[in-house]
Amino acid sequence: MSTEMRLGDDGDISGTASQQDKKRPFLDALVSILKSKTSLIGLIIIVLLLLVAVFAPLLAPSNPISGGDLFNRYKGPSADHWLGTDELGRDILSRLIYGTRISIQVGIIAVGIALVIGTFLGAISGFFGRWIDMIVMRIVDILMSFPSILLAIAIVAVMGKGLTNTMIAVGIVGIPQFARIVRSSVLSVKETEYVEAARAVGAKSYRVLFRHVLPNCLAPIIVQTTLSIGTAILDAAGLSFLGLGAQPPKPEWGAMLDAGRAALQTAPWVVIFPGLAILVTVLGFNLLGDGLRDALDPRTKK
């Protein structure tokens, strides 16, 4: 299908294609996700987690912080406490429900930091090239030379313990992945005919980049964002398990694992259920991310 090109008043190159045609790739991606069993499972898991996070006060049987009873510490799953109690007699189910809020918050904020900074660095690096590309990519190479968890530990050790610093550290660790993906996409898109046409009619560089190049790099960015949320939640839980992330008495899943490891043999439910919560959450984002990648990548379509 041919598209007639026209020059706008502000120097933009646009076509006569309808808004429906522009939205079709994402509509097709949604249909593909709904048709894929694994992707649909991931989507259902994420929706359920979001609902649990939003309605936590209504779903939690008791207060996750001050609802403990030392006479009921390390009680196994029962009708009163479906998932048992922890070392202070607090209801594990309530702490898991409120922990969903913390984990979702950590994933969104940490990935948001990586997304904004990484996309900006990758965009200017790939679009302008030359010395900008060299400087940005060398910084990215240095960051990627460290194992992600060790780099996050080093950042938190410098900034101090706490959930806020953990989100910043995990966000910084994720910047190189976004920068490389966006840079490679920009390098490909900026050589297309419509970008050259926009330059030919005198559109400014920043307008070409943000109006014509970046919007056509959304597919890999969306996929990377979805996959990175699961990784960010896992990294934050790891830092909390090491005592560097969320501090007691916050009901964060990694901190719950750390607090319960001393009673692993006598009260295994204290670590089993937080571990399963982390597993299911990360699995949900990974399944949805894989489905988005298959749906948005034209090379995987028959």
Side-chain angles (χ1 to χ4, degrees):
M1 180 180 66
S2 62
T3 302
E4 180 185 353
M5 307 299 291
R6 67 173 185 269
L7 174 62
D9 296 335
D10 55 357
D12 284 341
I13 296 294
S14 58
T16 58
S18 65
Q19 293 295 327
Q20 183 178 1
D21 293 335
K22 294 179 181 179
K23 296 179 180 179
R24 180 162 184 178
F26 293 98
L27 293 176
D28 291 343
L30 179 60
V31 173
S32 178
I33 291 173
L34 295 177
K35 288 183 178 180
S36 172
K37 292 182 179 180
T38 55
S39 302
L40 185 58
I41 291 173
L43 181 61
I44 292 173
I45 291 174
I46 294 173
V47 171
L48 290 176
L49 288 171
L50 292 174
L51 291 175
V52 169
V54 171
F55 297 104
L58 300 177
L59 298 175
S62 62
N63 190 301
I65 296 177
S66 60
D69 182 3
L70 292 177
F71 292 101
N72 289 322
R73 62 195 304 263
Y74 291 134
K75 292 292 184 179
S78 64
D80 295 329
H81 303 282
W82 290 2
L83 303 184
T85 61
D86 62 5
E87 71 281 1
L88 297 178
R90 295 170 299 195
D91 184 68
I92 293 179
L93 176 60
S94 299
R95 290 179 63 79
L96 287 179
I97 290 174
Y98 274 89
T100 306
R101 282 185 165 185
I102 298 177
S103 295
I104 297 296
Q105 176 188 4
V106 168
I108 293 176
I109 294 178
V111 173
I113 294 172
L115 171 65
V116 173
I117 300 177
T119 299
F120 175 76
L121 293 177
I124 63 173
S125 175
F127 188 77
F128 294 104
R130 298 185 179 180
W131 62 270
I132 297 178
D133 184 35
M134 183 185 66
I135 293 175
V136 172
M137 285 300 103
R138 296 300 74 77
I139 295 175
V140 168
D141 290 339
I142 292 173
L143 291 175
M144 294 192 71
S145 64
F146 295 95
S148 59
I149 189 64
L150 293 181
L151 180 58
I153 291 173
I155 295 172
V156 173
V158 172
M159 300 179 62
K161 301 177 182 179
L163 188 61
T164 301
N165 292 340
T166 296
M167 291 187 288
I168 295 174
V170 174
I172 293 174
V173 169
I175 289 175
Q177 287 78 15
F178 279 96
R180 281 193 170 275
I181 288 175
V182 173
R183 174 181 178 269
S184 62
S185 299
V186 169
L187 287 174
S188 175
V189 173
K190 77 173 185 177
E191 302 299 330
T192 54
E193 294 181 357
Y194 58 86
V195 173
E196 294 295 333
R199 284 174 168 170
V201 299
K204 295 181 179 179
S205 296
Y206 75 89
R207 191 170 190 85
V208 174
L209 175 59
F210 292 103
R211 180 89 176 188
H212 300 286
V213 177
L214 275 183
N216 289 282
C217 302
L218 284 180
I221 294 176
I222 292 173
V223 173
Q224 182 62 26
T225 299
T226 307
L227 293 172
S228 296
I229 293 178
T231 303
I233 293 174
L234 188 60
D235 288 345
L239 291 174
S240 296
F241 179 78
L242 296 174
L244 299 174
Q247 301 298 304
K250 285 187 176 181
E252 200 274 336
W253 295 339
M256 292 174 65
L257 287 174
D258 179 39
R261 60 179 173 174
L264 179 59
Q265 295 183 347
T266 57
W269 56 86
V270 179
V271 295
I272 288 177
F273 294 118
L276 288 175
I278 296 172
L279 185 151
V280 171
T281 301
V282 175
L283 178 64
F285 281 103
N286 286 345
L287 290 177
L288 181 59
D290 288 339
L292 285 172
R293 180 175 55 196
D294 295 339
L296 296 175
D297 189 352
R299 293 173 296 181
T300 63
K301 297 179 180 180
K302 296 182 181 180

